[in-house]
Amino acid sequence: MRAAVTAKGHRVTPDDATPAIEIWYRREVPAQPKAASGSAVYDRLTPSALVGVLHFTKASTDYRGQSVAAGFYTLRAALMPDDGNHLGVAPSRDFLLLVPAPADPGLEATPKFADLVVLSRQASGAKHPAPLSLVPAEAGAAPALTKDDEGHIIFTATIHLSSGEDLPVALIVKGTVPQ
């Protein structure tokens, strides 16, 4: 997996009170054809595909506020289920689910959504998987660290897709779903 991610990662320090987060995106993230329509912002990301690796230098939390231990996690693309239980819980349906690196099924694997949820539950240690929310990337230079109106701290970087395109992605690195 180390050979599949960029040699130079990003060290993100959301604020003075938050431990550093290190992120290495995959050199070439699997892409799928652009959807004609739909509710996904990042419709080019192949569902369940490995997008990168994240290192929490100290214990942290996911977008739901669940505790996540310090360590290395893979980041896998996922769409929040389009059902009544998830209405309005995030700015978009796009997420990266955390999977403990030792439990990851491998570079080319694209597990079914239900299987990905089971893998991600190992990161949260709870009934719910460990998500990090993706939000629409604002125009501008990347990498960048910004704060939105809800106080979420967002890290924007550019990933390279297998289709040859570059895609800016914006990941909430600090902040939780409004209750």
Side-chain angles (χ1 to χ4, degrees):
M1 208 170 287
R2 188 178 300 235
V5 297
T6 56
K8 183 181 176 193
H10 304 279
R11 185 173 176 89
V12 181
T13 308
D15 58 33
D16 293 338
T18 306
I21 301 166
E22 299 169 327
I23 302 171
W24 295 266
Y25 285 110
R26 194 168 174 176
R27 289 181 194 275
E28 198 169 85
V29 176
Q32 63 181 6
K34 187 173 178 88
S37 66
S39 58
V41 173
Y42 295 98
D43 59 358
R44 298 301 310 275
L45 297 179
T46 300
S48 297
L50 178 74
V51 175
V53 174
L54 178 139
H55 176 226
F56 284 125
T57 58
K58 293 188 179 173
S60 192
T61 57
D62 67 9
Y63 186 65
R64 295 187 82 243
Q66 300 174 121
S67 295
V68 179
F72 286 88
Y73 298 88
T74 57
L75 298 168
R76 292 202 166 257
L79 287 176
M80 180 177 13
D82 196 11
D83 61 24
N85 293 329
H86 295 91
L87 281 176
V89 300
S92 78
R93 293 183 57 214
D94 305 86
F95 283 84
L96 295 179
L97 291 184
L98 298 167
V99 174
D104 193 87
L107 187 61
E108 299 305 324
T110 51
K112 292 179 182 173
F113 180 73
D115 296 332
L116 179 58
V117 166
V118 169
L119 290 167
S120 185
R121 286 178 183 154
Q122 294 176 51
S124 67
K127 186 175 116 175
H128 201 281
L132 294 180
S133 183
L134 287 167
V135 295
E138 294 183 18
L145 201 58
T146 58
K147 187 184 258 189
D148 69 10
D149 295 343
E150 294 179 23
H152 297 129
I153 298 177
I154 302 165
F155 175 65
T156 303
T158 301
I159 61 173
H160 185 72
L161 299 176
S162 60
S163 60
E165 302 162 85
D166 287 335
L167 177 69
V169 292
L171 180 65
I172 295 177
V173 292
K174 182 177 181 190
T176 58
V177 61
Q179 298 298 330

